Each structure stands twice: as C-alpha cells, then as structure tokens.
Amino acid sequence: MLGIGSDHGGYQLKQAIMKHLEARGIAFTDYGTYGEESCDYPEYGRAVALAVAGGACDRGILICGTGIGISIAANKIPGIRAAVCGDCFSAEATRAHNDANILALGARVVGEGLALKIVDTFLDTPFSNDERHIRRIRKIEG
C-alpha cells in the first residue's frame, strides 16, 4: 500500500499521479488535501509519514510546490527518509542507496510527464541491501 498526499500547490499533480497509479494497479490511500484551497503542507506530510512509519503504508509520495517543505515535515517523523527528487537518477539512487520510503515532488518544479517517470523509477527500484548503504542508513537513524 502506498500513501499519497499534497498541499494545494501539489493537488493537480497528485490527481495525475493517482490516475497513473490506478492504471498500474498500485493500491494507495489519499491523505489529502482534497482540493485547491490554500492549506498547510505540514499536515499532509505528517499524515503520510505517520502512515509509512506506522506500517499502514509501505511507501509514500508527497507533493507541494517545490517538494522541499513537505519533505522537511515528513522527515521529522522517526523512521522516515523522504527525498525530494527532480530527476529519475536521483529517484533511483535514493531508493538503491538510502532506502528512501517517501518520494517528494515539486509540482512547480517538474512537469507531469517527468513526474510520472520519477514515480515509476522510485516505485520500481529496490534497495540494494549493500552493507555500506545499510551502515550509512543506521548512522542517519542515529
């Protein structure tokens, strides 16, 4: 199960990503927001992060204007490794090396076509299980 959330700035891109996930047959829960009225991104970053950290979702996708604010909010939750990605290489690397469990996207930074490719890369890339990456993740977790 995948958790997805956005603020008003990421709402339209979230709608496109959810349609894409449905086409791929990937189950997800939408944690909001449910419209384009101004709202506060930390609420949605926290909601998805808590779902991932608590085991209700395996991974998550968060979207705001830049991806930065919502990823910062998500990363406040223990066990979350949210990464802002604006290209497929970063999405692949953060999964393979950091075992990132939340992808953050900037709706005002990447277009829909690229965003869908980044989502696919993030979802399709496994963690490498390389000992050096495991060691580094343990250091991040403190």
Side-chain angles (χ1 to χ4, degrees):
M1 176 68 68
L2 187 68
I4 189 166
S6 73
D7 70 356
H8 58 282
Y11 177 77
Q12 287 298 323
L13 183 55
K14 182 180 74 163
Q15 297 305 112
I17 291 170
M18 291 190 306
K19 184 177 177 182
H20 181 71
L21 295 172
E22 287 172 352
R24 286 194 55 184
I26 297 173
F28 62 88
T29 299
D30 180 1
Y31 288 88
T33 192
Y34 305 108
E36 294 183 272
E37 295 153 14
S38 183
C39 61
D40 298 329
Y41 61 81
E43 294 177 25
Y44 307 101
R46 181 174 174 77
V48 171
L50 287 170
V52 172
C57 296
D58 301 312
R59 283 189 257 170
I61 298 173
L62 293 170
I63 310 107
C64 69
T66 62
I68 297 168
I70 205 162
S71 71
I72 292 170
N75 278 318
K76 295 291 185 180
I77 304 302
I80 295 303
R81 290 177 304 283
V84 181
C85 296
D87 59 83
C88 293
F89 177 79
S90 297
E92 181 178 6
T94 200
R95 281 291 306 132
H97 297 182
N98 309 121
D99 198 17
N101 49 17
I102 295 181
L103 169 65
L105 294 166
R108 296 178 181 139
V109 177
V110 297
E112 181 180 318
L114 177 56
L116 298 180
K117 289 178 184 178
I118 293 168
V119 166
D120 286 343
T121 301
F122 182 83
L123 295 177
D124 295 342
T125 301
F127 177 53
S128 68
N129 279 311
D130 183 291
E131 183 55 41
R132 66 190 164 125
H133 298 307
I134 293 169
R135 181 181 69 245
R136 292 169 185 157
I137 291 168
R138 286 186 184 134
K139 289 182 178 185
I140 291 170
E141 293 174 345

